[in-house]
Amino acid sequence: MTEGFAEPEKDGRPALQAIAAVALFAVVVGVLWAQKEFVPQKDAATEPAACSKPDDHLPARYVSGARLCKALNRPDLPVLLGTSQEHAETADGNGEWVTLAGGTKIAEPEATVTLETYSVKLTASYDHMTVGTAGALMGGARRTTVLGHPAVLYSSPTISIGFDLGGGKASTGPGGTARCLLVSKHGKDDGKGTFEVALWRQDDVLPDDTALVRVAEQVLPTVPGWDGR
């Protein structure tokens, strides 16, 4: 018997990695698996998951993974996704440093909420890259705006991770496609930080861009560091 889920592929943006930009999709497999393995089945089937204890290692000047999880794991998230009969099955956040090739460390806190149909990830980036620059490096990216802020919409491949419950082994393979919305924290594209909301489906069907934008418009104004002007 196997159980599995998908997550955005780390190599989905090789052009950005080539110029030492941080990967926006860090994997926290251990936390997700622990939640699936040890949450009592009765509670998991009837109650939305609360944010797990975060693994935060960032100074207070950065938004924490716990705060991102709180913003993302909102009661109306299933409604925003168009899956109102579902609820959060796992929810976690963490705040970590990403070390670039030259040794520079960049803060990259993130949070992920998983439902039966969708998974949603919220990431804060402090790499000083403008949205316009990032969009130019991503093939097929489409420029747009979110609540008046510069943004780009693009696709990223995911990795499918499966677990053999009997043998205790994990396997990986190609997954579906995540749709990602990278948004400037400020009303102008000044390179002073971005938020990204990524959405992917457990059945590998292409996610709904309307749902992605709807989530971003409701979640981002509640995150510390968002400039509503």
Side-chain angles (χ1 to χ4, degrees):
M1 178 180 178
T2 61
E3 180 172 339
F5 60 93
E7 60 198 17
E9 187 175 88
K10 287 184 177 181
D11 297 327
R13 293 168 56 188
L16 293 184
Q17 292 177 348
I19 62 170
V22 295
L24 297 182
F25 301 122
V27 179
V28 195
V29 174
V31 173
L32 292 175
W33 178 240
Q35 288 176 329
K36 291 189 174 191
E37 188 74 3
F38 296 113
V39 173
Q41 292 301 307
K42 182 178 180 181
D43 291 343
T46 59
E47 296 294 333
C51 289
S52 63
K53 184 178 180 180
D55 186 18
D56 280 318
H57 303 283
L58 298 177
R61 67 179 179 274
Y62 299 109
V63 62
S64 67
R67 189 63 187 83
L68 292 178
C69 189
K70 181 179 179 181
L72 186 60
N73 191 28
R74 46 192 291 149
D76 64 348
L77 181 60
V79 176
L80 296 175
L81 291 170
T83 57
S84 58
Q85 301 304 311
E86 298 180 6
H87 61 261
E89 296 182 350
T90 66
D92 68 88
N94 70 84
E96 297 286 355
W97 295 101
V98 174
T99 303
L100 305 181
T104 301
K105 290 186 175 182
I106 295 177
E108 191 179 79
E110 63 179 29
T112 304
V113 176
T114 300
L115 295 83
E116 180 179 353
T117 300
Y118 284 109
S119 289
V120 193
K121 178 169 283 189
L122 173 62
T123 307
S125 292
Y126 299 88
D127 57 6
H128 305 296
M129 181 178 289
T130 66
V131 168
T133 299
L137 293 170
M138 289 182 277
R142 177 169 62 86
R143 293 198 180 197
T144 184
T145 59
V146 174
L147 301 176
H149 290 218
V152 291
L153 182 66
Y154 70 100
S155 295
S156 176
T158 69
I159 299 172
S160 176
I161 301 178
F163 295 94
D164 184 344
L165 301 183
K169 296 181 179 180
S171 61
T172 62
T177 298
R179 292 293 284 167
C180 312
L181 194 58
L182 183 67
V183 187
S184 174
K185 293 180 180 180
H186 305 281
K188 58 182 181 179
D189 194 9
D190 54 12
K192 294 182 179 179
T194 58
F195 290 119
E196 182 169 80
V197 182
L199 180 64
W200 66 100
R201 289 179 60 112
Q202 318 306 351
D203 57 9
D204 295 342
V205 173
L206 190 67
D208 179 5
D209 284 351
T210 302
L212 173 61
V213 173
R214 197 160 52 225
V215 170
E217 288 179 341
Q218 295 301 314
V219 170
L220 293 181
T222 70
V223 180
W226 174 264
D227 186 347
R229 294 174 293 176

PDB file of all heavy atoms in Angstrom, residues 148-174:
ATOM      1  N   GLY A 148      -3.396  45.966  -7.203  1.00  0.00           N
ATOM      2  CA  GLY A 148      -2.607  47.118  -7.626  1.00  0.00           C
ATOM      3  C   GLY A 148      -1.108  46.928  -7.548  1.00  0.00           C
ATOM      4  O   GLY A 148      -0.353  47.837  -7.898  1.00  0.00           O
ATOM      5  N   HIS A 149      -0.647  45.753  -7.101  1.00  0.00           N
ATOM      6  CA  HIS A 149       0.786  45.483  -6.987  1.00  0.00           C
ATOM      7  C   HIS A 149       1.278  44.724  -8.217  1.00  0.00           C
ATOM      8  O   HIS A 149       0.590  43.812  -8.699  1.00  0.00           O
ATOM      9  CB  HIS A 149       1.073  44.651  -5.737  1.00  0.00           C
ATOM     10  CG  HIS A 149       0.873  45.380  -4.454  1.00  0.00           C
ATOM     11  ND1 HIS A 149       1.694  45.206  -3.358  1.00  0.00           N
ATOM     12  CD2 HIS A 149      -0.067  46.289  -4.072  1.00  0.00           C
ATOM     13  CE1 HIS A 149       1.273  45.969  -2.354  1.00  0.00           C
ATOM     14  NE2 HIS A 149       0.211  46.634  -2.773  1.00  0.00           N
ATOM     15  N   PRO A 150       2.479  45.037  -8.717  1.00  0.00           N
ATOM     16  CA  PRO A 150       3.032  44.295  -9.848  1.00  0.00           C
ATOM     17  C   PRO A 150       3.147  42.810  -9.511  1.00  0.00           C
ATOM     18  O   PRO A 150       3.518  42.440  -8.389  1.00  0.00           O
ATOM     19  CB  PRO A 150       4.414  44.925 -10.047  1.00  0.00           C
ATOM     20  CG  PRO A 150       4.305  46.283  -9.430  1.00  0.00           C
ATOM     21  CD  PRO A 150       3.372  46.128  -8.276  1.00  0.00           C
ATOM     22  N   ALA A 151       2.835  41.951 -10.474  1.00  0.00           N
ATOM     23  CA  ALA A 151       2.860  40.506 -10.252  1.00  0.00           C
ATOM     24  C   ALA A 151       3.137  39.780 -11.552  1.00  0.00           C
ATOM     25  O   ALA A 151       2.972  40.341 -12.638  1.00  0.00           O
ATOM     26  CB  ALA A 151       1.524  40.045  -9.656  1.00  0.00           C
ATOM     27  N   VAL A 152       3.574  38.532 -11.432  1.00  0.00           N
ATOM     28  CA  VAL A 152       3.709  37.660 -12.591  1.00  0.00           C
ATOM     29  C   VAL A 152       3.078  36.308 -12.262  1.00  0.00           C
ATOM     30  O   VAL A 152       3.180  35.813 -11.139  1.00  0.00           O
ATOM     31  CB  VAL A 152       5.175  37.452 -13.036  1.00  0.00           C
ATOM     32  CG1 VAL A 152       5.746  38.720 -13.623  1.00  0.00           C
ATOM     33  CG2 VAL A 152       6.032  36.946 -11.900  1.00  0.00           C
ATOM     34  N   LEU A 153       2.423  35.736 -13.248  1.00  0.00           N
ATOM     35  CA  LEU A 153       1.775  34.433 -13.127  1.00  0.00           C
ATOM     36  C   LEU A 153       2.539  33.458 -14.003  1.00  0.00           C
ATOM     37  O   LEU A 153       2.775  33.725 -15.184  1.00  0.00           O
ATOM     38  CB  LEU A 153       0.325  34.540 -13.584  1.00  0.00           C
ATOM     39  CG  LEU A 153      -0.556  33.306 -13.503  1.00  0.00           C
ATOM     40  CD1 LEU A 153      -0.780  32.883 -12.056  1.00  0.00           C
ATOM     41  CD2 LEU A 153      -1.897  33.584 -14.179  1.00  0.00           C
ATOM     42  N   TYR A 154       2.946  32.322 -13.424  1.00  0.00           N
ATOM     43  CA  TYR A 154       3.731  31.369 -14.205  1.00  0.00           C
ATOM     44  C   TYR A 154       3.478  29.948 -13.705  1.00  0.00           C
ATOM     45  O   TYR A 154       2.821  29.732 -12.680  1.00  0.00           O
ATOM     46  CB  TYR A 154       5.225  31.696 -14.131  1.00  0.00           C
ATOM     47  CG  TYR A 154       5.876  31.439 -12.793  1.00  0.00           C
ATOM     48  CD1 TYR A 154       6.632  30.279 -12.576  1.00  0.00           C
ATOM     49  CD2 TYR A 154       5.762  32.351 -11.750  1.00  0.00           C
ATOM     50  CE1 TYR A 154       7.237  30.036 -11.365  1.00  0.00           C
ATOM     51  CE2 TYR A 154       6.368  32.120 -10.532  1.00  0.00           C
ATOM     52  CZ  TYR A 154       7.111  30.969 -10.330  1.00  0.00           C
ATOM     53  OH  TYR A 154       7.704  30.725  -9.117  1.00  0.00           O
ATOM     54  N   SER A 155       3.984  28.974 -14.445  1.00  0.00           N
ATOM     55  CA  SER A 155       3.820  27.560 -14.091  1.00  0.00           C
ATOM     56  C   SER A 155       5.140  26.981 -13.614  1.00  0.00           C
ATOM     57  O   SER A 155       6.222  27.403 -14.036  1.00  0.00           O
ATOM     58  CB  SER A 155       3.338  26.753 -15.304  1.00  0.00           C
ATOM     59  OG  SER A 155       2.049  27.154 -15.714  1.00  0.00           O
ATOM     60  N   SER A 156       5.040  25.993 -12.727  1.00  0.00           N
ATOM     61  CA  SER A 156       6.218  25.291 -12.246  1.00  0.00           C
ATOM     62  C   SER A 156       5.880  23.810 -12.119  1.00  0.00           C
ATOM     63  O   SER A 156       4.798  23.464 -11.630  1.00  0.00           O
ATOM     64  CB  SER A 156       6.654  25.845 -10.881  1.00  0.00           C
ATOM     65  OG  SER A 156       7.748  25.106 -10.367  1.00  0.00           O
ATOM     66  N   PRO A 157       6.763  22.900 -12.536  1.00  0.00           N
ATOM     67  CA  PRO A 157       6.487  21.473 -12.380  1.00  0.00           C
ATOM     68  C   PRO A 157       6.532  21.066 -10.914  1.00  0.00           C
ATOM     69  O   PRO A 157       7.132  21.742 -10.081  1.00  0.00           O
ATOM     70  CB  PRO A 157       7.616  20.803 -13.172  1.00  0.00           C
ATOM     71  CG  PRO A 157       8.718  21.809 -13.168  1.00  0.00           C
ATOM     72  CD  PRO A 157       8.055  23.155 -13.194  1.00  0.00           C
ATOM     73  N   THR A 158       5.882  19.975 -10.579  1.00  0.00           N
ATOM     74  CA  THR A 158       5.916  19.447  -9.221  1.00  0.00           C
ATOM     75  C   THR A 158       6.548  18.069  -9.215  1.00  0.00           C
ATOM     76  O   THR A 158       6.658  17.402 -10.246  1.00  0.00           O
ATOM     77  CB  THR A 158       4.510  19.338  -8.600  1.00  0.00           C
ATOM     78  OG1 THR A 158       3.769  18.310  -9.275  1.00  0.00           O
ATOM     79  CG2 THR A 158       3.766  20.651  -8.680  1.00  0.00           C
ATOM     80  N   ILE A 159       6.972  17.655  -8.041  1.00  0.00           N
ATOM     81  CA  ILE A 159       7.496  16.319  -7.820  1.00  0.00           C
ATOM     82  C   ILE A 159       6.450  15.521  -7.069  1.00  0.00           C
ATOM     83  O   ILE A 159       5.890  15.983  -6.071  1.00  0.00           O
ATOM     84  CB  ILE A 159       8.800  16.360  -6.998  1.00  0.00           C
ATOM     85  CG1 ILE A 159       9.877  17.156  -7.730  1.00  0.00           C
ATOM     86  CG2 ILE A 159       9.293  14.950  -6.691  1.00  0.00           C
ATOM     87  CD1 ILE A 159      11.124  17.390  -6.901  1.00  0.00           C
ATOM     88  N   SER A 160       6.169  14.307  -7.504  1.00  0.00           N
ATOM     89  CA  SER A 160       5.253  13.411  -6.807  1.00  0.00           C
ATOM     90  C   SER A 160       6.057  12.543  -5.850  1.00  0.00           C
ATOM     91  O   SER A 160       7.050  11.913  -6.235  1.00  0.00           O
ATOM     92  CB  SER A 160       4.507  12.528  -7.809  1.00  0.00           C
ATOM     93  OG  SER A 160       3.682  11.599  -7.137  1.00  0.00           O
ATOM     94  N   ILE A 161       5.656  12.556  -4.568  1.00  0.00           N
ATOM     95  CA  ILE A 161       6.342  11.770  -3.548  1.00  0.00           C
ATOM     96  C   ILE A 161       5.385  10.712  -3.021  1.00  0.00           C
ATOM     97  O   ILE A 161       4.290  11.016  -2.554  1.00  0.00           O
ATOM     98  CB  ILE A 161       6.830  12.658  -2.387  1.00  0.00           C
ATOM     99  CG1 ILE A 161       7.791  13.725  -2.920  1.00  0.00           C
ATOM    100  CG2 ILE A 161       7.509  11.824  -1.315  1.00  0.00           C
ATOM    101  CD1 ILE A 161       8.296  14.673  -1.861  1.00  0.00           C
ATOM    102  N   GLY A 162       5.784   9.457  -3.101  1.00  0.00           N
ATOM    103  CA  GLY A 162       4.949   8.354  -2.625  1.00  0.00           C
ATOM    104  C   GLY A 162       5.634   7.622  -1.490  1.00  0.00           C
ATOM    105  O   GLY A 162       6.866   7.555  -1.401  1.00  0.00           O
ATOM    106  N   PHE A 163       4.837   7.058  -0.575  1.00  0.00           N
ATOM    107  CA  PHE A 163       5.351   6.331   0.567  1.00  0.00           C
ATOM    108  C   PHE A 163       4.803   4.911   0.571  1.00  0.00           C
ATOM    109  O   PHE A 163       3.598   4.708   0.414  1.00  0.00           O
ATOM    110  CB  PHE A 163       4.959   7.020   1.884  1.00  0.00           C
ATOM    111  CG  PHE A 163       5.576   8.385   2.051  1.00  0.00           C
ATOM    112  CD1 PHE A 163       4.882   9.520   1.666  1.00  0.00           C
ATOM    113  CD2 PHE A 163       6.844   8.539   2.582  1.00  0.00           C
ATOM    114  CE1 PHE A 163       5.431  10.777   1.804  1.00  0.00           C
ATOM    115  CE2 PHE A 163       7.405   9.793   2.729  1.00  0.00           C
ATOM    116  CZ  PHE A 163       6.710  10.916   2.350  1.00  0.00           C
ATOM    117  N   ASP A 164       5.665   3.951   0.747  1.00  0.00           N
ATOM    118  CA  ASP A 164       5.269   2.560   0.921  1.00  0.00           C
ATOM    119  C   ASP A 164       5.023   2.336   2.403  1.00  0.00           C
ATOM    120  O   ASP A 164       5.965   2.245   3.199  1.00  0.00           O
ATOM    121  CB  ASP A 164       6.377   1.643   0.408  1.00  0.00           C
ATOM    122  CG  ASP A 164       5.993   0.171   0.467  1.00  0.00           C
ATOM    123  OD1 ASP A 164       5.021  -0.157   1.171  1.00  0.00           O
ATOM    124  OD2 ASP A 164       6.673  -0.640  -0.182  1.00  0.00           O
ATOM    125  N   LEU A 165       3.756   2.278   2.790  1.00  0.00           N
ATOM    126  CA  LEU A 165       3.423   2.167   4.203  1.00  0.00           C
ATOM    127  C   LEU A 165       3.883   0.858   4.803  1.00  0.00           C
ATOM    128  O   LEU A 165       4.057   0.745   6.013  1.00  0.00           O
ATOM    129  CB  LEU A 165       1.906   2.328   4.393  1.00  0.00           C
ATOM    130  CG  LEU A 165       1.320   3.655   3.894  1.00  0.00           C
ATOM    131  CD1 LEU A 165      -0.168   3.726   4.215  1.00  0.00           C
ATOM    132  CD2 LEU A 165       2.051   4.835   4.494  1.00  0.00           C
ATOM    133  N   GLY A 166       4.054  -0.154   3.964  1.00  0.00           N
ATOM    134  CA  GLY A 166       4.504  -1.431   4.476  1.00  0.00           C
ATOM    135  C   GLY A 166       6.010  -1.509   4.597  1.00  0.00           C
ATOM    136  O   GLY A 166       6.545  -1.945   5.615  1.00  0.00           O
ATOM    137  N   GLY A 167       6.702  -1.047   3.562  1.00  0.00           N
ATOM    138  CA  GLY A 167       8.151  -1.146   3.560  1.00  0.00           C
ATOM    139  C   GLY A 167       8.868   0.066   4.120  1.00  0.00           C
ATOM    140  O   GLY A 167      10.086   0.031   4.320  1.00  0.00           O
ATOM    141  N   GLY A 168       8.158   1.148   4.350  1.00  0.00           N
ATOM    142  CA  GLY A 168       8.785   2.342   4.910  1.00  0.00           C
ATOM    143  C   GLY A 168       9.686   3.076   3.939  1.00  0.00           C
ATOM    144  O   GLY A 168      10.568   3.822   4.352  1.00  0.00           O
ATOM    145  N   LYS A 169       9.488   2.885   2.632  1.00  0.00           N
ATOM    146  CA  LYS A 169      10.321   3.531   1.631  1.00  0.00           C
ATOM    147  C   LYS A 169       9.558   4.648   0.919  1.00  0.00           C
ATOM    148  O   LYS A 169       8.340   4.603   0.814  1.00  0.00           O
ATOM    149  CB  LYS A 169      10.812   2.511   0.613  1.00  0.00           C
ATOM    150  CG  LYS A 169      11.719   1.433   1.192  1.00  0.00           C
ATOM    151  CD  LYS A 169      12.180   0.473   0.120  1.00  0.00           C
ATOM    152  CE  LYS A 169      13.103  -0.598   0.699  1.00  0.00           C
ATOM    153  NZ  LYS A 169      13.561  -1.551  -0.348  1.00  0.00           N
ATOM    154  N   ALA A 170      10.302   5.618   0.451  1.00  0.00           N
ATOM    155  CA  ALA A 170       9.716   6.728  -0.294  1.00  0.00           C
ATOM    156  C   ALA A 170      10.199   6.677  -1.734  1.00  0.00           C
ATOM    157  O   ALA A 170      11.320   6.232  -2.016  1.00  0.00           O
ATOM    158  CB  ALA A 170      10.090   8.061   0.337  1.00  0.00           C
ATOM    159  N   SER A 171       9.359   7.133  -2.651  1.00  0.00           N
ATOM    160  CA  SER A 171       9.735   7.203  -4.059  1.00  0.00           C
ATOM    161  C   SER A 171       9.294   8.543  -4.617  1.00  0.00           C
ATOM    162  O   SER A 171       8.336   9.152  -4.138  1.00  0.00           O
ATOM    163  CB  SER A 171       9.084   6.064  -4.850  1.00  0.00           C
ATOM    164  OG  SER A 171       7.676   6.152  -4.790  1.00  0.00           O
ATOM    165  N   THR A 172      10.003   9.025  -5.630  1.00  0.00           N
ATOM    166  CA  THR A 172       9.665  10.303  -6.244  1.00  0.00           C
ATOM    167  C   THR A 172       9.543  10.132  -7.752  1.00  0.00           C
ATOM    168  O   THR A 172      10.103   9.205  -8.346  1.00  0.00           O
ATOM    169  CB  THR A 172      10.735  11.370  -5.948  1.00  0.00           C
ATOM    170  OG1 THR A 172      11.987  10.949  -6.507  1.00  0.00           O
ATOM    171  CG2 THR A 172      10.903  11.582  -4.453  1.00  0.00           C
ATOM    172  N   GLY A 173       8.817  11.053  -8.371  1.00  0.00           N
ATOM    173  CA  GLY A 173       8.643  11.035  -9.811  1.00  0.00           C
ATOM    174  C   GLY A 173       7.998  12.330 -10.258  1.00  0.00           C
ATOM    175  O   GLY A 173       7.640  13.181  -9.430  1.00  0.00           O
ATOM    176  N   PRO A 174       7.820  12.518 -11.565  1.00  0.00           N
ATOM    177  CA  PRO A 174       7.181  13.740 -12.067  1.00  0.00           C
ATOM    178  C   PRO A 174       5.751  13.857 -11.562  1.00  0.00           C
ATOM    179  O   PRO A 174       5.030  12.866 -11.480  1.00  0.00           O
ATOM    180  CB  PRO A 174       7.221  13.549 -13.589  1.00  0.00           C
ATOM    181  CG  PRO A 174       8.261  12.510 -13.825  1.00  0.00           C
ATOM    182  CD  PRO A 174       8.234  11.614 -12.641  1.00  0.00           C
TER     183      PRO A 174
END
